[in-house]
Amino acid sequence: MANVTVSQLAETIDTPVDRLLQQMQEAGLSKNSADDVVSEEEKRTLLAHIKMTHGESESAPKKITLKRRTISTLKKAGGGGRGRTVNVEVRKKRTYVRKTTTEATDNLIEEKVAEAVFESVAESEAPVFDEEAHRNAVIAEMEAEANKRHSDAAKKVEEAAQEAKLAAEAEAAAVKKKTDEAAAKKAKESTESKVSSRKDKRDRHDLDERDTKDKKSKPGARKRPQGRGGRLGLSKARSRRNVRAHSSSEHQFTAPTEEIIREIEVGETITVSQLSQKMAVKATDVIRSLMSLGVMANINQTVDQDTATLVIEEFGHAIKLVHSGDLEKSIVEEEMALEGEMQPRAPVVTVMGHVDHGKTSLLDYIRSANVVDGEAGGITQHIGAYRVSTSHGEICFIDTPGHAAFTAMRQRGANATDVVILVVAADDGVMPQTEEAIKHAKAAGAPIVVAVNKMDKEGADIEKVKSELAAKDVIPDGWGGDTQFVPVSAITGDGVSDLLEAVLLQAELLELGAVAKGAAHGIVIESELEKGRGPVATLLVQNGTLEQGDVVVAGDQFGRVRAVRDDQGTSIKTAGPSTPVSVLGLNGTPGAGESFVVVKDEKRAREIAQFRKDKANEVRLATPAASLDNLLASFGSSEIDFLNIVVKADVRGSLEAIVTELQALGNDEVKVNVVHSGVGGIAETDVNFALTSGAVIFGFNVRADTSARRLVEAEGLDLRYYKVIYDLVDDVRDALSGMLSPEVREEIVGIALVKDVFQSKKLGSIAGCMITEGTVHRDKKIRVLRDDIVIYEGELESLRHFKEEVNSARNGTECGIGVKNYNDVKVGDQIEVFESREVARAL
């Protein structure tokens, strides 16, 4: 055979071109493409390489490696009742070193190919027909033998795989058995410890002797356990059988086939995540159900009780409606239940009245203290509580501020009081806050004793005060009513003794009493955050006895009472009914007016406080979820400008009064948005709140620390300090007024009556007018009125007096007026000249 190409040689020996090229490269022949020419010498070199390769492969038997990986699940019973699932993975690897049928077949094919190459080299001059026939015969023989041996090899491989599978299953069973034995051993040890803890010392001694006798009588017998486990001969066997029975069935799990119907408790509001957890369904399914009802809510938003009812019924569960009032009622019934006899107690008297009418001055004289000098601006800004011993008996006084900002504080004072002293200045008479105090007292059902103060001043008129209060349905007892009027002077002390006597007389008529024994409960008068002491709450005990070390829940705050002080600052151990005290130990500052109660332990206190916090969060988050209706309703609503404010105050009562007063400011265009409020000094976190929301920082009787001041200066924020609430509210009102858009006002400056109409080629219709009012100006806007109806609004194009062009014409003169872009002026029309100006608005 002459020289041929690589492709022709591959076709001749029936071998792929790529494989032939690879063999040539392994033989050291540089052949890279199918078109390269192969010489006779290169064919011999290739033949020698193939023979050498066959010799090496025959001496090296081939390896077969089988890998098997199985995973099984075991359920291990724990001590707590719930099972624990364990995944067991078994990996098996087997290697067989033998000469397979496939290898023999490959060797045979290589030999046949080598022989064909050799014959093609040796018999290059043979006819083409003989070579083709020989090649076809060789190929047919090789295919027959390869098919036979491949089938045998596949059969052996399948047998090896089956063997590996059986081995893997055996190993998995061994692991499972080992796990079961460990669980049985643990259960056996637990049973032994429980039984051994109950055995009797005398029985153990007898059993030890019996075991010793058995050992002597039976030398080859197995030694029984001594000591603590000596009684477990029969029990161990039973325990072992029970453990085996348990371990054989602990992995058997039967999926529930019946649908589980749960009873879902729903309060006034509930979040989507809580609803999904209670129903044991995915949150996405709950959200999808809400979307079908037309409610768009995410997993953290709340839905009302009616919407939650529809969702629960759609999933086929039962619903139980829970009202927060019922839960609070149960708390009151459990914690505030007192057993004991009622005993007389001191009356709680609240002093009310208008600002600067002398309430605190009157208390100063009674207490022989001087509180007014310590108040900013000479007015009371905190609720103060005092217990005073008088010659007529003990009285607990509560002094409430009189300013309008403290309406809520006065309301709380009225709800905690037995008798109200209404202080009215004899020279001023009834004022707005006096009327509010009357309303609060009547709403609380407390009797009123009127103290007509400032009787030492000129112009004092008690009869005027009586007549004004009678108009407010406060009838003096001398006029046939039931209200005592006592003239007093806080400066000289005149009439103070009579006032106290009137108060105690009123208290006797009420027959006030309380149970002294038992857990204390009452209300929070005030709370603040003191540096070095933490949260300090002023409490008024109404029933029971408060002791140091009691666990107290006040609103959504709780804690153990670490210290109790009276109104004089003296440490005391106990406080009975009608006693105001300040306590330390709460984890926060409760709101003024919140109720407090002593509970049995901190766990119960934490539960009650957490329930109240959750309720407050639900109310805060109970904003209407996005739906088509409220989305469409929000379109077209006017945009409101908000003044963002951060407020920090010294006490909780003042803070609530400030926030309430600020939120009442504004209108449909501007409002106050209190983004953050709290009790205590201004910290860096408060400044960060203001920085992120673009807010103004107000500090009431507090100051910013060093880091907060540096951040305020660096960011250029507005930080303001106040001592009097008047000033703070007035400044915010002025700021809101500045945010209002100015009001546009129109002023008519002149009116001209059209007497005749002339036509001008240059200017069109010219109205001959008589000015009847004011002055007509050429550069101002005008309106054309016909029968007192505006038919056109624009401006003048020309204003002439006779033939001269003028800028203005006064009342009583004639003029010619040309209206710009309007030619329909008629006799009898009025031309009204006006000007617009912007006026600053105020709240």
Coordinates of all heavy atoms in Angstrom, one line a residue, residues 75-84:
K75 N -36.0 7.9 64.4 CA -36.7 8.8 65.4 C -36.4 8.3 66.8 O -36.7 7.2 67.2 CB -38.2 8.8 65.1 CG -38.9 9.8 66.0 CD -40.4 9.8 65.7 CE -41.1 10.9 66.5 NZ -42.5 10.9 66.3
K76 N -35.6 9.2 67.5 CA -35.2 8.9 68.8 C -36.0 9.5 69.9 O -36.3 10.7 69.8 CB -33.7 9.3 69.0 CG -33.1 9.0 70.4 CD -31.7 9.6 70.5 CE -31.2 9.3 71.9 NZ -29.8 9.9 72.0
A77 N -36.5 8.7 70.8 CA -37.4 9.2 71.9 C -36.6 9.9 72.9 O -35.6 9.4 73.5 CB -38.2 8.1 72.5
G78 N -36.9 11.2 73.2 CA -36.2 11.9 74.3 C -37.0 11.9 75.6 O -38.1 11.3 75.7
G79 N -36.4 12.5 76.6 CA -37.0 12.5 77.9 C -38.2 13.5 78.0 O -39.0 13.4 78.9
G80 N -38.2 14.5 77.1 CA -39.3 15.5 77.2 C -40.6 15.1 76.6 O -41.5 15.9 76.7
G81 N -40.7 14.0 75.9 CA -41.9 13.6 75.3 C -41.9 13.8 73.8 O -42.4 12.9 73.0
R82 N -41.3 14.8 73.2 CA -41.2 14.9 71.8 C -40.0 14.1 71.2 O -39.0 14.1 71.8 CB -41.0 16.4 71.4 CG -42.3 17.3 71.8 CD -42.1 18.6 71.2 NE -42.1 18.6 69.7 CZ -41.9 19.6 68.9 NH1 -41.9 20.8 69.4 NH2 -41.9 19.5 67.6
G83 N -40.2 13.5 70.1 CA -39.2 12.7 69.5 C -38.2 13.6 68.8 O -38.4 14.7 68.4
R84 N -37.0 13.0 68.5 CA -36.0 13.7 67.8 C -35.6 12.9 66.6 O -35.4 11.7 66.7 CB -34.8 13.9 68.7 CG -33.6 14.6 68.0 CD -32.4 14.7 68.9 NE -31.3 15.3 68.2 CZ -30.1 15.3 68.7 NH1 -29.8 14.8 69.9 NH2 -29.1 15.9 68.0

